[in-house]
Amino acid sequence: MHDPRLLLDPATDAVRKLARRGFTLDLVALEKLFSQRTTVIGQTDESRAESNRAAKEIGAAAKRGEDVTAVKENARALKARVQELEEQQRQLAAELDEVMLGIPNLPSDDLPDGNTDEDAELVSSWGEPPSFDFEPKDHVALGEQLGILDFARATKLSGPRFSVTRGAGARLERAIATFLLELHTEKHGYTEYSMPVIVNRPTMTGTGQLPKFEQDLFRTAVADRELFLIPTAEVPLTNLHAGETLPAEDLPFGYTSNTPCFRSEAGSYGKDTRGLIRLHQFQKVELVRFCTPDRADAEFDVLLSHAETCLRELGLAYRVVKLAAGDLGFSAERTYDLEVWLPGQGRYREISSVSDFGTFQARRAGIRTKAKDGTRGFANTLNGSGLPIGRTLVAILEQNQQADGSVVIPPALVPYTRFERIDPDGTVGE
């Protein structure tokens, strides 16, 4: 969420910046609404002060033994005027909030133009995509052949875009999650949280999922309470500090959590319907960082390195791309995607997004900072996937498949799986 004064400042160049991401900002309408609210606030303050003076005048007149009938009538009129202006102020504030909540973050100027994957800018790459002397299978064929993925039974239970893993597949998923959490907590210094996966509307609004993306969320109700299933642990982790003031000298904070994530994928029908790439429910280890705005660039680099370390430790070939301005998520001002090589598709696919939100989320959630010298501001928030369990499983199966149909487990995971390979019949080998 923006400070409207910032958007109205010509130096911000908000209209041009938002146009880069396909959003048309009606600056005239915004200025009119902001001006109306400012005017009413001033009128309310003046009327309230006049009402207070009138109330004092009643007491003074009564002490002098004067007739206070006319004074009381004037005081009642002033009080009614204050109430009328306060209601106008509430209505205008609600209108302004509605407008501001629908305006996305301003994209960084260094992002490329465009609004598709093809417009992303290559930043770096790591590892050589594996070459095979056989036709590599995709993870669906591999998983079903090994007996570790069962999409038919998942569909029977819940419908399309759900998954069931079994045996070595379930063990491998558990191992991936444990490995990632230990990497982030023991080597990268994150604090691990076990979080609620059902949250309220203010929590979803704080990180930018609401009100714009309500159709993408799963919603439920318990005893007339409106609740939403989280699309990512970013939502509860960031909102841990909603409405709080953080000591600036204690920052940065780094939090991580492994949670199920739920997405309706509205508008994506027909895309990635095969396998584990785009599910309604999946597991993900999330990384969230809080810092002061002056530390945002450094913290972005730190967060990106932590996400990259996951893939390097697993020996998975990947590349990093800078998303185009028109392809950003609603709350982000810049995002780098980590894309892992999938031999079964013959292309790189996104496995992690690392985003800097500036103070956008903090303003929505009321996450402030205070320095020792008394300086106050809003926190800068960042988040990244570190990593999604399902897509990591996909990459491991596809990049480590063997000619006989077996899959070799990355050495970093062997202490957690306690097996080094999944044999063609789905059994595990030391």
Side-chain angles (χ1 to χ4, degrees), residues 193-198 230 233 235-240 256-260:
Y193 281 84
S194 178
M195 302 298 296
V197 298
I198 304 176
I230 63 169
V235 174
L237 283 175
T238 302
N239 281 280
L240 280 172
T256 187
S257 186
N258 175 37
T259 66

Side-chain angles (χ1 to χ4, degrees), residues 331-359:
S331 298
E333 61 182 38
R334 56 172 165 164
T335 296
Y336 284 13
D337 272 2
L338 278 64
E339 300 181 338
V340 70
W341 176 254
L342 297 184
Q345 296 187 22
R347 62 187 180 124
Y348 287 96
R349 295 299 306 270
E350 183 242 317
I351 193 170
S352 174
S353 290
V354 175
S355 298
D356 178 7
F357 304 108
T359 60

Side-chain angles (χ1 to χ4, degrees), residues 174-249:
R174 175 159 47 91
I176 292 170
T178 304
F179 161 74
L180 292 171
L181 286 171
E182 290 192 3
L183 175 66
H184 296 313
T185 56
E186 296 181 9
K187 292 187 179 180
H188 295 155
Y190 288 80
T191 301
E192 181 181 355
Y193 281 84
S194 178
M195 302 298 296
V197 298
I198 304 176
V199 298
N200 57 27
R201 180 172 286 270
T203 299
M204 282 290 190
T205 303
T207 40
Q209 280 72 28
L210 290 178
K212 185 174 178 59
F213 301 105
E214 189 158 344
Q215 65 173 349
D216 294 322
L217 303 172
F218 283 103
R219 180 169 53 182
T220 186
V222 178
D224 298 326
R225 292 169 56 206
E226 181 186 49
L227 297 167
F228 297 86
L229 279 67
I230 63 169
T232 165
E234 167 203 345
V235 174
L237 283 175
T238 302
N239 281 280
L240 280 172
H241 293 301
E244 297 180 12
T245 298
L246 310 179
E249 63 273 13

Side-chain angles (χ1 to χ4, degrees), residues 271-283:
K271 300 178 182 178
D272 294 320
T273 56
R274 178 177 169 83
L276 299 173
I277 297 296
R278 195 184 295 273
L279 297 174
H280 290 311
Q281 176 184 336
F282 58 96
Q283 289 284 130

Side-chain angles (χ1 to χ4, degrees), residues 279-341:
L279 297 174
H280 290 311
Q281 176 184 336
F282 58 96
Q283 289 284 130
K284 182 154 67 84
V285 173
E286 190 74 0
L287 305 174
V288 168
R289 297 187 73 82
F290 300 83
C291 67
T292 52
D294 61 301
R295 286 283 306 168
D297 288 345
E299 289 300 311
F300 185 83
D301 290 342
V302 167
L303 183 55
L304 180 63
S305 72
H306 292 165
E308 288 193 69
T309 298
C310 301
L311 295 171
R312 295 188 182 195
E313 290 283 325
L314 295 172
L316 297 172
Y318 70 93
R319 69 181 185 183
V320 180
V321 298
K322 182 191 298 184
L323 294 194
D327 199 27
L328 288 176
F330 178 82
S331 298
E333 61 182 38
R334 56 172 165 164
T335 296
Y336 284 13
D337 272 2
L338 278 64
E339 300 181 338
V340 70
W341 176 254

